[in-house]
């Protein structure tokens, strides 16, 4: 019998219902025994899967993003998958291993402490912590970003986290950090990422290190290729800075992390959070509250390139308001940049204050500086020292770290209204207690739908499933 439920999931408001849509291509399809109602009745069903869309036929499908997913056993049918939302629960049985591995990227699991062992705290933010963890089954090392749900008490905060998860799910590129799966417990949301051991680009530049022209421009080329991919998916990162750029383990490739401020591009500029980023790296049009497009990310990379070439952030000031004003004015002393003519032209094109004249990521990659480079693989020297840091702040925290003495665990006076929209002054005093709570919390969080009193509920989902099954038979 389908497990019905009593506790509402954090993701309940962001779960989709059945809808009509024609899908011509499917990633997986197979025949299963499917339970369609709470009485435990099952029927044969031909299920198809395209990304997060589960289809009962070519037109009726449901987006299972943020549905709870778990493996279940039936004495007669064997192993199966259970998918649950606030209004719908279904099970299907058969050869499900490939389907589970595919669906877990889009769905929410509930057995984090059964699968992972927490090893070490590596970072803290306003809403939770970042840990190094070990998979108990395959012994592989990952990183997990935890969010304490009671601190995400506004709908905008919740929507921001769900949007971050949705965006990172869509990205599959060597230059973007890889999200493996998402879990939920009664108190926390867990995002399991690949573990990146090397230091951020911030640690390379924090002592005013100046990089040579070839090395600096090769790093920027690597990042431009990743940013171009992100833009081609219709996404703006909006918080590119040295803290959010890491080297992948044992390679010379750089990885962009922390999509807490990312959003889907809109021509009307009506974003969930419009004025955001980190002063010192923001495009001026963001600070002036003007409409903007993908080129804000190119500007941020231009500031990073300037810093690599000079050892200085062009908008540095100990006073936060002064830093914002310098960033808004967007003036640069190019006399400090000692590079070739073409290299300087590329830098100025990326830092043009006028976004209409600023280079796009594609235009920057096609600049004559890169076209004139010999066609050979480049090598960026690896950072000389390693750390266990996945990321320098918790998700959606964008604290300006221009001072070399910035304490990794300090939030507060360095944070601002232009940093993450989820940043708040109510840094939880319970952070020190969370490690123990997570480690000792072994209760599986389940959702019992039948006891929920949903206002204005008009859809009988069990009957709807029955009708779909009858259509399929016909």
């Amino acid at each position: 019998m389908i497990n019905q439920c009593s506790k509402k999931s954090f993701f309940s408001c962001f779960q989709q219902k059945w809808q009509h849509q024609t899908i011509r291509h499917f990633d997986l399809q197979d025949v299963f025994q499917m339970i369609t109602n709470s009485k435990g009745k099952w029927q044969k069903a031909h299920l198809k899967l395209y990304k997060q869309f589960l289809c009962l036929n070519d037109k009726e499908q449901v987006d299972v993003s943020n549905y709870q997913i778990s493996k279940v056993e039936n004495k007669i049918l064997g192993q199966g998958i259970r998918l649950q939302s606030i209004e719908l629960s279904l099970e299907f049985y058969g050869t499900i291993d490939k389907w589970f591995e595919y669906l877990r990227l889009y769905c929410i699991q509930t057995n984090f402490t059964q699968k992972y062992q927490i090893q070490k705290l590596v970072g803290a933010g306003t809403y939770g912590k970042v840990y190094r963890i070990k998979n108990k089954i395959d012994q592989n090392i990952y990183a997990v970003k935890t969010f304490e749900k009671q601190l995400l008490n506004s709908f905008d905060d919740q929507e921001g986290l769900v949007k971050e998860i949705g965006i990172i799910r869509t990205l599959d590129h060597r230059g973007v950090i890889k999200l493996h799966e998402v879990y939920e417990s009664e108190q926390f949301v867990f995002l399991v990422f690949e573990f990146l051991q090397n230091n951020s680009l911030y640690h390379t530049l924090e002592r005013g290190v100046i990089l040579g022209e070839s090395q600096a421009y090769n790093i920027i080329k690597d990042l431009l290729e990743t940013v171009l991919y992100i833009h081609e998916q219709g996404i703006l990162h909006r918080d590119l800075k040295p803290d959010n750029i890491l080297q992948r383990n044992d390679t010379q490739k750089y990885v962009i992390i922390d999509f807490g401020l990312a959003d889907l591009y809109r021509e009307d500029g009506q974003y969930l959070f419009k004025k955001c980023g980190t002063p010192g790296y923001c495009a001026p049009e963001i600070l002036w509250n003007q409409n903007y497009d993908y080129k804000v990310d190119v500007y941020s990379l231009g500031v990073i390139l300037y810093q690599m070439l000079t050892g200085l952030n062009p908008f540095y000031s100990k006073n936060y308001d002064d830093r914002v004003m310098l960033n808004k004015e967007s003036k640069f002393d190019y006399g400090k940049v000692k590079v070739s003519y073409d290299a300087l032209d590329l830098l100025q094109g990326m830092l043009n204050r006028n976004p209409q004249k600023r280079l796009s990521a594609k235009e920057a990659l096609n600049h004559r500086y890169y076209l004139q480079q010999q066609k050979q693989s480049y090598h960026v020297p690896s950072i000389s020292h390693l750390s266990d840091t996945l990321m320098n702040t918790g998700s959606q925290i964008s604290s300006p770290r221009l001072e070399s003495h910035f304490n990794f665990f300090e939030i507060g006076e360095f944070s601002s209204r232009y940093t993450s929209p989820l940043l708040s002054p109510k840094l939880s005093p319970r952070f020190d207690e969370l490690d123990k709570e997570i480690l000792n919390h072994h209760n599986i969080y389940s959702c019992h739908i039948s006891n929920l009193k949903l206002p204005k509920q008009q859809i009988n989902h069990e009957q709807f499933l029955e009708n779909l099954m009858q259509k399929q038979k016909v």
Side-chain angles (χ1 to χ4, degrees), residues 444-466:
I444 298 177
Y445 180 56
S446 62
C447 184
H448 302 289
I449 296 172
S450 62
N451 295 330
L452 282 170
K453 296 181 179 179
L454 299 175
K456 299 182 181 179
Q457 182 173 347
Q458 300 177 348
I459 301 175
N460 185 325
H461 289 277
E462 290 187 0
Q463 185 61 47
F464 187 81
L465 280 171
E466 292 278 10

Side-chain angles (χ1 to χ4, degrees), residues 109-251:
Q109 298 178 72
T110 59
N111 58 338
F112 176 80
T113 55
Q114 292 182 0
K115 187 173 180 180
Y116 291 101
Q117 176 186 358
I118 294 177
Q119 291 189 325
K120 182 179 180 181
L121 175 69
V122 296
T126 300
Y127 293 95
K129 294 183 175 182
V130 181
Y131 299 89
R132 184 176 67 188
I133 57 175
K134 181 172 71 173
N135 187 301
K136 296 178 181 179
I137 300 173
D138 59 23
Q139 305 301 306
N140 288 332
I141 301 299
Y142 297 91
V144 63
K145 294 169 68 175
T146 66
F147 297 84
E148 189 174 5
K149 294 194 293 187
Q150 70 174 8
L151 298 180
L152 299 167
N153 50 21
S154 76
F155 184 77
D156 283 352
D157 290 349
Q158 296 165 14
E159 187 177 0
L161 176 55
V162 172
K163 178 167 285 188
E164 176 184 2
I165 295 171
I167 285 175
I168 197 69
R169 279 171 173 161
T170 68
L171 300 176
D172 184 14
H173 189 272
R174 61 169 176 77
V176 176
I177 191 167
K178 177 69 174 177
L179 175 68
H180 288 282
E181 47 196 356
V182 180
Y183 290 81
E184 181 180 12
S185 71
E186 291 185 18
Q187 294 175 277
F188 302 99
V189 173
F190 305 93
L191 275 58
V192 178
F193 287 93
E194 65 174 312
F195 182 73
L196 300 177
Q197 191 174 23
N198 286 357
N199 277 334
S200 68
L201 186 58
Y202 168 81
H203 285 93
T204 304
L205 304 176
E206 65 178 332
R207 295 180 178 85
V209 172
I210 298 176
L211 303 184
E213 176 181 316
S214 177
Q215 182 181 1
Y217 279 81
N218 283 336
I219 292 174
I220 290 298
K221 181 181 179 183
D222 199 21
L223 295 172
L224 280 168
E225 290 173 350
T226 302
V227 167
L228 177 59
Y229 165 79
I230 294 171
H231 291 172
E232 288 175 342
Q233 314 312 307
I235 296 167
L236 301 84
H237 187 280
R238 301 195 300 181
D239 197 24
L240 294 175
K241 57 183 178 180
D243 305 68
N244 289 340
I245 299 170
L246 278 69
Q247 269 192 319
R248 191 177 299 283
N249 304 10
D250 302 322
T251 73

Side-chain angles (χ1 to χ4, degrees), residues 346-365:
L346 172 56
L347 175 64
Q348 292 175 328
M350 295 174 67
L351 290 174
N352 196 307
R353 192 176 185 278
N354 185 344
Q356 294 182 346
K357 297 180 179 180
R358 189 182 307 149
L359 297 175
S360 67
K362 186 174 184 180
E363 290 169 340
L365 287 167

